[in-house]
Amino acid sequence: MSTDKAASDLPRLSLAETVAGRIEARIAEDALAGGHRLGTRDSLRREFDVAAATLNEAVRLLISRGTISVRPGVKGGIFVATPPPMVRLGRKMLELSGDSVSVSDCLVMREALEPLLAREAMRHRTEGDVAELRRLAEAMAAAVESDSEDGVGYLAANWALHRRIAEITPNKVLQHTYVSLLEFVENRLRGVTPNGPSTRYVDGPAVHKELVEAIAGDDPDRLDAAVAAHAALTAARGGGT
């Protein structure tokens, strides 16, 4: 995929992630039970004032996370899902507030899980997985060039890449634990103004591209080096890798 194509995909990706996050926050803040009707695609599209394609992408993300279900028919629409235990764990993380859990604690746990997650990705990735990871890595690179100073597009693409890596493993305990940590950090950092312009992320795309290529390959030493470089980037950026 060309950089121009990646850049054109980025705004919809970022906005869809934002809409999905707002819906997740509403479910958590209002303690909405499984089966609660959130509305229809059209009503939610109007509420969030987004294009149909953006709303559809947000719906796809939420379905993949086990957050919502879609029912057809006259009385159908979009409903809060009745999630399995591992998805409820993720929601519990999002509901935590105050000083009970810190972003730094979550980042420590996330860093501890990433070597295992990367090895799982290398072991189980398909050609389709690799193509999607490369697309997301290109979107990160495009974001550094096109982002405003808040870096929102870069961070959205970054989190989407890491979530996609996590989706490769068949180990659902590992996957949901990691994604829960990622979403907790993402929700805590969303809306926080960075300490500098998005050019501070200029080294991030190269590190993530190498991580993707290491996952695509068969060299464990290369993968270990890529994971170590990513850990160093995480430490330097405080979660905005």
Side-chain angles (χ1 to χ4, degrees):
M1 176 180 292
S2 68
T3 301
D4 288 344
K5 179 63 168 62
S8 68
D9 287 346
L10 184 63
R12 183 164 64 86
L13 172 67
S14 304
L15 190 52
E17 286 280 358
T18 298
V19 171
R22 289 175 63 184
I23 293 173
E24 286 174 326
R26 176 187 301 173
I27 293 170
E29 291 167 3
D30 295 344
L32 300 179
H36 179 90
R37 189 172 187 271
L38 295 167
T40 64
R41 288 179 188 264
D42 192 52
S43 68
L44 291 174
R45 181 191 63 77
R46 292 195 305 269
E47 176 182 349
F48 293 106
D49 192 23
V50 294
T54 299
L55 192 281
N56 288 338
E57 177 67 12
V59 168
R60 186 195 68 79
L61 290 169
L62 292 172
I63 291 173
S64 70
R65 298 172 194 174
T67 303
I68 64 169
S69 62
V70 178
R71 304 176 193 171
V74 177
K75 296 184 179 180
I78 297 172
F79 296 80
V80 178
T82 302
M86 289 307 299
V87 176
R88 290 201 295 270
L89 169 64
R91 290 194 185 169
K92 185 63 178 176
M93 288 291 299
L94 292 174
E95 291 167 6
L96 293 172
S97 60
D99 296 327
S100 56
V101 174
S102 69
V103 169
S104 60
D105 287 344
C106 287
L107 289 174
V108 169
M109 289 301 298
R110 173 186 157 184
E111 183 177 342
L113 291 175
E114 282 187 338
L116 175 58
L117 202 67
R119 288 194 294 271
E120 282 282 286
M122 172 185 274
R123 179 181 177 186
H124 297 286
R125 84 285 191 271
T126 65
E127 291 184 2
D129 292 327
V130 171
E132 183 68 7
L133 294 181
R134 285 172 173 159
R135 183 188 74 80
L136 291 169
E138 288 292 339
M140 288 181 64
V144 171
E145 300 296 328
S146 62
D147 248 354
S148 61
E149 292 192 355
D150 59 15
V152 169
Y154 175 89
L155 290 175
N158 176 10
W159 290 324
L161 172 62
H162 285 286
R163 185 178 285 106
R164 186 64 180 82
I165 291 172
E167 290 174 356
I168 295 173
T169 178
N171 185 329
K172 295 304 180 184
V173 175
L174 173 61
Q175 180 186 122
H176 283 292
T177 301
Y178 180 87
V179 170
S180 295
L181 293 166
L182 182 66
E183 290 180 350
F184 180 85
V185 172
E186 180 181 357
N187 276 269
R188 284 294 183 89
L189 294 183
R190 185 181 287 120
V192 176
T193 303
N195 293 326
S198 59
T199 52
R200 72 193 184 103
Y201 300 120
V202 68
D203 49 348
V207 170
H208 286 83
K209 282 185 178 181
E210 173 58 19
L211 179 62
V212 167
E213 293 308 316
I215 289 171
D218 297 300
D219 184 348
D221 292 335
R222 181 181 182 183
L223 183 65
D224 288 345
V227 170
H230 181 265
L233 191 67
T234 303
R237 298 294 184 248
T241 63

